[in-house]
Every structure is written in structure tokens, then in C-alpha cells.
Amino acid sequence: MTTAAGPAATSVPLVELRDVHKTFPAARGGTPVEAIRGVDLSVEAGEIVGIVGYSGAGKSTLVRLINALESTTSGSVRIGGREIADLKERDLREVRLGIGMIFQQFNLFRSRTVWGNIAYPLEVAGVARAEQNQRISDLLHFVGLADKAHSHVDELSGGQKQRVGIARALATEPSLLLADESTSALDPETTQEVLSLLRRVNRELGITIVVITHEMDVVRSLAHRVVVMEAGRIVEQGPVVQVLSDPQQPVTRRFVSTIVDDEPDAEALAALHARHPGHFVKLAFRGDEVRQSDVFAELLSRDVRFELVYGGIEEVQGETFGNLTLALDGDPAAVTAAVAAVADLVPTTELSR
Amino acid sequence: MNLDTNIGELWPLVWQGAYETLYIVAITLTLGGILGLLLGLALYVTRRGGLYASRATNLVLNVVVNFFRPIPFVIFIAAVQPLARVVVGTGIGNPAIIFALTLAAAFGISRIVEQSLVTVDPGVIEAARSVGASRLHIIRTVVLPEALGPLVLGYTFIFVALVDMSAIAGVIGGGGLGNFALQYGYRQFDAVVTWTAVVIIVALVQVVQLAGNVAARRIMRR
């Protein structure tokens, strides 16, 4: 273990999965499904980790291994250093009390009021009534639903339902919150509302959050770190800015391209060429090492004219990066020399017709 | 139609029959209701993906329920008569009818309970598991409350079915409005007596069905 990477790395990770496999037995007449195929994952206390992947990538199963709603086929799952992979159901219930979970379809009890929903985990935990009341009241204020305490679940909007879900998940003061596609059933505005509530949960209550999503926007605006899953494996992970600005795997690039204009695809490129003469290059600006003005000055000094035809500047959690596609126009030799000079300043990709 | 009637002197027997019908159905609905609830719960929790999923147990339960449920009630009475003699000490009269009706009702109710419980969203059960609730606790505090509306409608349906089934009680000397209608109406060619019993049964069914609908609506808040 290294000791150089700050305080978090020296302590035990809150969640630690080692070579975890999960195979679901065959349905009648079918074949067994290998949902998780050897996953290693650490989640440090206090961080927000986004797990992205297409449906069927195994992310829902993975998150259910963390609170033992599903059992592992093999491998080790440690929560706060404690191995849970071979605990008995009775002991697992205790582990689950320390892990909150929210769901895409909210999964609220329709037979209970808002108050009753938040009370449920407290009843299960055997918390005294007076303490329950105080806790529920605090939570209702925290999620901004104090006036809805005695409403029935059916009377709430989607965003309100998810806020009740969050309050219920926080009732037993867990150190970890699992969010399973928690905003996928919500409209964009309500999504932002729920995301900002989750940010408060992390910042103000210090609760570690693992979010599963297929929406990169959720990752960009909420997560510190992103984990990309494909076919039951983790194929890429890293800080959000790094993964968004420099995706390595094809699946990651596809996800990133949903929110970042990386480079024009073949169709867009053909359309751009039809409108703009000249030579196309994509420049990848990262951090503040290279200023755009330096690059543009270099081009102009070589008598190469340019036009910005595609791309944009992204801001992620205070860091910016940009992918700019330029159409260069001028004497062919000058253009070639200019591209070579620019390539010394900033990663440059030539986009052929 | 012959409208000569003895209804005038039969009113005490009408009320006696109504009382017996209610009494037979009430006891049956209570005992059969509890047995059927337990059997229905067992069918539900042992299903694939259920809280106590067990393919073997589920298969056995299904075979048992499917064996007894299709037996026409009039034949069922005769078939379980020896068992009735052992359990309630007699093969005839109201106790024997209540015994047969309770058993038959339990099998029917088990299916209705199972059907009501499968309407419970598996997501809310997962939510309850995620906060550390035990399986028995989940059945008591989530599954049954969430399915209460359909359950009330199901039990109302069974009440009506039991009134219907209890009319055959006469074959082993049981009482009730059905028996009264057959004995004093049909066999005496007294249509007024028959229809008096019919009207009372219909009124009874209407009142109970209405109460069931109202209760279910309030529970489901729709």
C-alpha cells in the first residue's frame, strides 16, 4: 500500500471488492449468466463514484453485491474492512443497516405515508419512538418535504418521491449510499434537483455515494471518480475530468461522446468538408498548459488561416478542457509546417476526408 | 305459475335459514381464510425469485392445490365425509358442512391470495431488504399491507362463492337459506318461497360486495 496519495489512501477503503464473480444459475432451458466477471473496485470514504455502462453491463448486480442483496459466486467483498461475502443472513441485515439505497422507480411503500416510509428503516432497526420522530422530522426538513409528512406516496411528483427515497435511505445514518439509476425516471429539471440534493448528502453529511447510471451528465455533475463497465468487467476508471477528457476504451468514448463534442464522426466530417475547404485538424487542449491564443498565433504567423468548425470547451468540476476541430487554409507547404509546429504545443490529430 | 304459497307460516324458518347461512359462511371464511392465507403465502414466497424461493416446495404445493380445487363441491362433501367424522365427530349436519366448506375454501382462497400478492412490486420488497428487514418481517410489514386492497376484494369474492357453495349443504343435512329454498320452495312447488330465499341471498351478497368495494377503495385510495 502506498502512503503518498493523501489521507484517504492510508485508511481502509469503505468498500473493497477483490476478484468478484457473480454467475446467475440458468433459467429453465437457458444458460447460466455471468453478470460479474472478476471485478476489483475500491471506494474511499467520502467520495462519489459513478459507475457507468450500458444495460446488461453488470452495474446493477455489482451495486447489489455491495449491500449483499445478491451473494457473490466467488471473490471478496469488504465493507469498512469487514468481509461480508460469507456472512449469514442475520449478520448481513446489520451490514445493510449501514448502507442506504435508492432506486430508479423509487420503490416507496404505497401502504404508508411519507412519514411512514421514512420510519420503516428506523422500525426495523428498533429505534425508540421519540428518537424516530426527531430523526424523521430532521430528514423531512433536509430533503425539503416537511409539508408533505402526512401525504400519501401517490400524491407526490417523481422528484418528491425520490427525495422521500433519499430520506428513507438516510434514516439509519448510513456511511454509504447506493443510487441505482436514481434519476433515470426523472425529467431534466427534477434530475438537477435530485443531483444537488445528493451533492448535499455527500458534502454536508459526509456520506460516500456510489451512483449507477447510463447518463454521463449525472457523472459529470456529481461524481468525483468514474468507473466504466462492459460485459461484467471494469474496463476503465479514473477521475471524472481525466476520463472525460481522455477516454481510452471504445465504450468509454461512446459514453463521453454523448456529452463532449470530441471529434466529428464520419458523417459530420463529410458534411463539414462539403462546406469548408482545407485541411482538418483536431486539437486537444488539456488543463492550462497550453493557451489557445498561443496556438492560434502560431498558425497566423505562418500565414495559415483557420476556422473553428467543430468541438467545444468543457468545464468539469472547476477544470476545463477542449477539443477543437479547425479547418486550415493556405499554401499546402505552409499548412503542413503549421500542423507540425502546432503538434509540438498541443496533441493534434489530422482528420482525413 | 302456481302462486299458492305457505310463506306466511314459514317466516321463522326463513330467518333461521338466513342465520344458518351467515353462521356457516362466517366460520368458514374465518377458518378457511386463515388456512388459505397461509397456503397462499406459501405458494407466493416459494415462487421463483420469492423470499423463500424453493422450486420443489412450490411444485408440491401447486400439485396439492390443483388436485383439490377443481373437485365439484357436492362431490368434495362426499369425499371428505370420512375425514369429517374423524375431525368434527360427525359426517352430517352443519359441523360436517363447515368442515368441508372450510377445506374447499382454503384451496380456493390460496390462489386468490397468491394472485393478490404477486401484484406487490418486487422493488418495494428489495427496498425493505436493503434496510435490513428480515424475511418474516417483510411479509408482515410490506407484502401483506401492500396487497391489502386486492386481498379485501379477493375475500369479498370468496364470501359470495361461499354463500353459493353453502346452498348445497342439504345433501348431508346441513341448513341455511339454500337448503330452505330447496326443501320448502322447490320440492313443494312453492315459487314464492324459493324467490323469497333468492331475494334474501341476493340482498346479503349485495351488501357484502358493496362493503368490500368501499373498504378496498379506501385502502387503495383511488
Side-chain angles (χ1 to χ4, degrees):
Chain A
M1 187 181 273
T2 61
T3 49
T10 58
S11 59
V12 181
L14 184 59
V15 179
E16 193 173 26
L17 275 63
R18 285 253 178 87
D19 195 26
V20 169
H21 289 256
K22 173 66 181 180
T23 304
F24 290 101
R28 215 174 300 182
T31 49
V33 178
E34 279 184 84
I36 302 292
R37 311 172 183 219
V39 161
D40 295 283
L41 175 70
S42 290
V43 178
E44 303 295 337
E47 70 173 340
I48 303 181
V49 175
I51 301 180
V52 296
Y54 292 105
S55 347
K59 51 196 197 303
S60 277
T61 305
L62 185 69
V63 83
R64 279 163 178 74
L65 294 173
I66 295 175
N67 63 353
L69 285 180
E70 297 284 357
S71 60
T72 54
T73 304
S74 69
S76 153
V77 178
R78 286 173 182 273
I79 305 296
R82 183 186 185 193
E83 177 64 54
I84 66 162
D86 37 39
L87 285 186
K88 291 194 176 63
E89 176 76 15
R90 178 180 298 270
D91 299 317
L92 287 177
R93 299 210 306 263
E94 187 193 315
V95 174
R96 289 185 195 129
L97 272 177
I99 305 176
M101 187 169 190
I102 57 176
F103 306 86
Q104 178 172 8
Q105 297 300 334
F106 324 122
N107 295 352
L108 300 181
F109 307 119
R110 296 181 62 223
S111 55
R112 289 169 169 247
T113 60
V114 167
W115 182 281
N117 268 275
I118 304 172
Y120 189 81
L122 298 167
E123 292 164 13
V124 169
V127 173
R129 184 54 61 101
E131 204 183 326
Q132 280 190 25
N133 292 347
Q134 184 58 48
R135 184 94 190 109
I136 298 167
S137 171
D138 290 350
L139 283 163
L140 281 170
H141 282 98
F142 182 76
V143 302
L145 287 176
D147 55 329
K148 299 283 183 191
H150 302 290
S151 298
H152 285 292
V153 169
D154 292 343
E155 299 162 18
L156 304 178
S157 70
Q160 290 170 333
K161 283 180 186 168
Q162 195 57 292
R163 284 192 273 155
V164 176
I166 291 171
R168 180 178 66 180
L170 298 181
T172 52
E173 304 187 288
S175 51
L176 174 65
L177 178 66
L178 307 175
D180 183 8
E181 297 280 6
S182 53
T183 57
S184 301
L186 302 174
D187 61 49
E189 198 177 324
T190 318
T191 294
Q192 290 312 318
E193 198 182 292
V194 168
L195 291 181
S196 78
L197 177 56
L198 288 175
R199 263 192 297 273
R200 282 178 56 214
V201 167
N202 177 253
R203 275 190 206 146
E204 294 174 23
L205 308 178
I207 293 174
T208 310
I209 303 180
V210 175
V211 291
I212 295 178
T213 184
H214 62 269
E215 299 167 312
M216 283 305 281
D217 260 334
V218 170
V219 170
R220 170 160 66 180
S221 67
L222 186 63
H224 304 131
R225 205 152 60 82
V226 60
V227 171
V228 184
M229 286 194 74
E230 187 176 35
R233 293 190 180 89
I234 291 176
V235 293
E236 188 165 354
Q237 58 178 311
V240 171
V241 181
Q242 182 196 314
V243 172
L244 287 186
S245 60
D246 196 15
Q248 301 296 314
Q249 299 295 322
V251 59
T252 314
R253 283 202 205 101
R254 282 204 298 281
F255 269 111
V256 169
S257 71
T258 61
I259 55 164
V260 174
D261 291 328
D262 181 7
E263 61 181 58
D265 59 20
E267 199 180 322
L269 196 58
L272 289 171
H273 273 303
R275 282 206 301 275
H276 301 278
H279 191 77
F280 281 24
V281 289
K282 187 195 84 174
L283 309 179
F285 291 93
R286 298 291 178 265
D288 338 302
E289 296 151 31
V290 185
R291 301 182 62 84
Q292 289 176 39
S293 52
D294 295 340
V295 173
F296 298 152
E298 184 69 40
L299 292 170
L300 291 171
S301 75
R302 288 163 188 275
D303 207 17
V304 171
R305 291 185 300 146
F306 62 90
E307 218 174 334
L308 176 55
V309 294
Y310 193 89
I313 309 295
E314 300 294 332
E315 192 273 333
V316 177
Q317 291 157 17
E319 293 194 47
T320 56
F321 63 91
N323 295 301
L324 305 180
T325 297
L326 304 182
L328 306 181
D329 205 7
D331 177 64
V335 168
T336 307
V339 169
V342 166
D344 285 341
L345 296 173
V346 61
T348 303
T349 316
E350 302 199 37
L351 304 179
S352 54
R353 272 167 203 266
Chain B
M1 194 188 253
N2 178 11
L3 284 181
D4 287 348
T5 178
N6 293 320
I7 188 71
E9 54 206 72
L10 291 175
W11 282 111
L13 288 178
V14 172
W15 301 129
Q16 159 100 17
Y19 166 75
E20 280 183 324
T21 292
L22 277 178
Y23 158 82
I24 291 169
V25 170
I27 293 183
T28 306
L29 193 62
T30 308
L31 296 179
I34 293 169
L35 282 176
L37 183 67
L38 294 176
L39 193 52
L41 268 170
L43 283 166
Y44 168 74
V45 298
T46 56
R47 288 167 70 97
R48 189 188 177 83
L51 284 165
Y52 294 88
S54 160
R55 215 165 139 184
T57 314
N58 191 255
L59 190 72
V60 169
L61 289 172
N62 267 301
V63 167
V64 169
V65 171
N66 288 343
F67 180 85
F68 287 105
R69 219 164 64 89
I71 303 175
F73 185 55
V74 66
I75 297 166
F76 189 80
I77 293 171
V80 299
Q81 201 174 28
L83 195 58
R85 289 200 184 97
V86 174
V87 177
V88 295
T90 173
I92 56 167
N94 286 344
I97 271 298
I98 288 172
F99 176 76
L101 208 48
T102 297
L103 275 188
F107 291 117
I109 290 171
S110 70
R111 282 294 181 212
I112 284 174
V113 168
E114 185 192 20
Q115 280 165 22
S116 302
L117 300 187
V118 295
T119 65
V120 175
D121 176 7
V124 299
I125 294 171
E126 187 174 46
R129 286 186 66 211
S130 79
V131 303
S134 71
R135 292 179 290 186
L136 279 176
H137 190 75
I138 291 172
I139 290 171
R140 208 160 49 75
T141 59
V142 176
V143 174
L144 291 175
E146 292 285 310
L148 198 55
L151 281 173
V152 166
L153 287 177
Y155 275 90
T156 307
F157 172 84
I158 282 292
F159 174 90
V160 176
L162 287 176
V163 170
D164 171 7
M165 286 155 80
S166 71
I168 208 73
V171 297
I172 53 166
L177 275 175
N179 182 51
F180 169 79
L182 288 174
Q183 196 174 336
Y184 295 94
Y186 177 66
R187 294 205 189 109
Q188 305 293 325
F189 304 102
D190 192 332
V192 175
V193 168
T194 306
W195 277 96
T196 302
V198 168
V199 168
I200 293 173
I201 289 173
V202 169
L204 186 64
V205 165
Q206 291 290 352
V207 168
V208 171
Q209 184 70 55
L210 186 70
N213 288 349
V214 169
R217 199 177 313 131
R218 291 189 66 164
I219 289 163
M220 296 193 275
R221 294 178 202 98
R222 281 178 186 150

